[in-house]
Amino acid sequence: MARASWRDRIATARSERVATSRTRVRRTVTHRDGAHCTVDGRSLLNFCGNDYLGLSQHFAVTTALQEAASREGAGGVASHLVCGHHALHAQVEHALADWLGVPGALLFGSGFMANLAVVQSLLDDDGLCVQDRLNHASLIDAARLAGCRLRRYPHADAEGALRQLRAEPDAVAMLITDGVFSMDGDVAPLRELALIARAQKALLYVDDAHGVGVLGPDGRGSVAEAGLSVEQVPLQLVTLGKALGGYGAAVVGDADVIAHLAETARPYLYTTALPPAQAAATLAAIGIARREHWRREKLRQLAARFRERARTHGLELLPSDTAIQPVLCGEDARAIAMAQQLEQNGYWVAAIRPPTVPEGRARLRVTLSALHGIGDVDGLVDALARARDATPAPMLETAG
Ligand SMILES: *Cc1c(COP(=O)(O)O)cnc(C)c1O
């Protein structure tokens, strides 16, 4: 017998990553204090987290977590349908539905699990799943797991979405898009997509992991900003680990769809409920996110400042007005070299490479937080320009 070796397979994959500058390493944070992180004994100004509103260390949020943990414990104990469903979970679901103006909400262990759950319980192998090419990895995996036909359209191309739906007029269909694209920061053409979904009788699902809390009236996200109702967007994903500063996720929207998910979605049924203390933290965070408009206003000001100053320095930006502000670098090795240079200057920015982004589109993904100051952003942009100048880009010049 000549079974191929799993050790060889791992070694081959590893040497391919080394050869293409695609190794990935974790950095260990020993302390977090607002926008600062301590890494390898040094304090860095963090421009790569998703704590957009600065709520993860907010006193009211951490106090709610501590008090609920003291009363109710550290764990979720069981799945929701056995005995894990706690009044704090129900309260968060109500608070989310009330905030976002939708009839129903269902909590999940994470956004990744929620996306797997939604597609798997709504589409079977006869179904059609039409998605933006730049959608989050969990949505792509969700369609694969569901066994449905996955068709992707060019980024933000509503006509492309329509063509894909028209090509299979009989299949039960979902149209899925990120609200705010996680690696680009731009917002999907939601009004056009809603019209198409309605005309094609497809269920529109908007993954608003980076929109809720940040965009729209009272921070209700990209769907509310586009003025769309639950009839037009029957389902949305809200993550609790980004702007809301905690952990977990919720799918919100149409009551019938939510009820169907609660009884059929395997990543809901066969997993432990979120710790109730985490739900308490989220309840506190929702209150602050709704009330404190200055956090969103600050983010807008920081984004505008970043773009204006980056343009004066000739940095290559993408069309984003959100808290996600990528700087294109082209080659993977260049993105990494620039990130290293930034770190030496005290800034932590993530170099994002394929397969997370398309080939030749490696970038520094700068994320802003309401905890940053204008001076922080100015310092970062100046350091970005110095890092760019210190890192030649042969590919970019020939491509230009
Ligand atoms: C982060 C993210 C997710 C996954 O959410 P988690 O709660 O972190 O698992 C899903 N979709 C998008 C667009 C994301 O950015």
Side-chain angles (χ1 to χ4, degrees):
M1 192 181 105
R3 183 188 303 291
S5 150
W6 56 267
R7 280 199 191 281
D8 286 351
R9 184 178 179 276
I10 292 172
T12 308
R14 165 83 195 164
S15 39
E16 275 167 19
R17 289 199 302 278
V18 170
T20 53
S21 314
R22 290 198 183 151
T23 52
R24 291 164 182 257
V25 287
R26 296 180 302 183
R27 306 293 301 280
T28 305
V29 173
T30 48
H31 181 55
R32 216 172 260 141
D33 182 12
H36 286 86
C37 282
T38 309
V39 184
D40 295 334
R42 281 185 65 211
S43 172
L44 299 176
L45 191 52
N46 187 5
F47 278 101
C48 51
N50 299 319
D51 188 12
Y52 301 124
L53 301 179
L55 298 184
S56 79
Q57 293 189 317
H58 191 287
F59 182 72
V61 175
T62 57
T63 305
L65 183 106
Q66 285 165 5
E67 286 180 351
S70 305
R71 272 193 330 268
E72 307 298 327
V77 176
S79 66
H80 283 277
L81 271 74
V82 176
C83 61
H85 195 59
H86 192 282
L88 284 163
H89 298 130
Q91 281 175 45
V92 174
E93 291 176 347
H94 281 126
L96 283 168
D98 180 58
W99 180 27
L100 302 177
V102 294
L106 189 69
L107 281 180
F108 282 86
S110 74
F112 204 110
M113 281 211 280
N115 280 342
L116 298 185
V118 164
V119 183
Q120 199 194 31
S121 72
L122 292 172
L123 294 177
D124 56 23
D125 45 13
D126 296 329
L128 170 67
C129 188
V130 173
Q131 299 203 23
D132 189 292
R133 186 160 284 284
L134 295 190
N135 275 357
H136 191 261
S138 57
L139 290 167
I140 306 301
D141 290 4
R144 291 199 181 125
L145 180 64
C148 59
R149 283 187 303 290
L150 170 63
R151 299 279 183 264
R152 299 209 274 170
Y153 56 89
H155 178 49
D157 178 5
E159 290 286 322
L162 178 59
R163 269 196 301 280
Q164 299 283 21
L165 286 163
R166 276 200 179 133
E168 299 198 42
D170 299 324
V172 169
M174 289 184 76
L175 173 53
I176 308 183
T177 183
D178 283 13
V180 175
F181 286 87
S182 55
M183 296 300 135
D184 291 55
D186 59 332
V187 179
L190 293 176
R191 296 184 67 83
E192 287 96 316
L193 292 173
L195 286 172
I196 287 166
R198 172 170 282 197
Q200 291 288 317
K201 299 188 168 58
L203 195 166
L204 178 57
Y205 177 43
V206 176
D207 175 343
D208 212 18
H210 301 277
V212 169
V214 174
L215 298 180
D218 302 330
R220 283 157 50 214
S222 61
V223 171
E225 185 168 71
L228 297 170
S229 67
V230 69
E231 284 73 36
Q232 291 152 307
V233 182
L235 221 50
Q236 295 179 57
L237 176 73
V238 181
T239 54
L240 312 182
K242 288 166 182 161
L244 293 172
Y247 190 75
V251 175
V252 307
D254 181 278
D256 291 340
V257 185
I258 296 295
H260 175 75
L261 291 176
E263 287 189 63
T264 63
R266 294 166 67 86
Y268 185 74
L269 300 177
Y270 302 112
T271 194
T272 303
L274 272 187
Q278 185 53 67
T282 298
L283 266 179
I286 292 170
I288 300 163
R290 280 184 87 154
R291 260 193 330 269
E292 298 194 358
H293 302 291
W294 69 264
R295 293 177 190 270
R296 280 180 283 283
E297 192 45 46
K298 176 102 173 278
L299 274 177
R300 261 191 290 279
Q301 285 167 8
L302 294 171
R305 178 75 170 207
F306 177 85
R307 296 184 69 77
E308 180 193 300
R309 206 170 169 100
R311 278 202 209 94
T312 8
H313 281 290
L315 290 162
E316 194 176 349
L317 302 180
L318 289 174
S320 159
D321 296 318
T322 64
I324 302 169
Q325 291 291 335
V327 177
L328 282 182
C329 305
E331 282 176 51
D332 299 3
R334 184 165 193 240
I336 292 167
M338 284 177 66
Q340 282 166 352
Q341 179 106 13
L342 285 168
E343 185 176 328
Q344 281 160 22
N345 287 296
Y347 298 97
W348 195 0
V349 177
I352 309 283
R353 293 162 286 161
T356 309
V357 292
E359 291 294 333
R361 306 274 289 170
R363 65 199 62 179
L364 295 171
R365 177 180 181 266
V366 171
T367 50
L368 303 167
S369 163
L371 299 176
H372 290 133
I374 289 284
D376 296 334
V377 167
D378 289 355
L380 171 70
V381 177
D382 295 349
L384 275 164
R386 285 199 303 277
R388 186 257 334 259
D389 296 342
T391 317
M395 291 299 284
L396 283 187
E397 280 156 25
T398 50

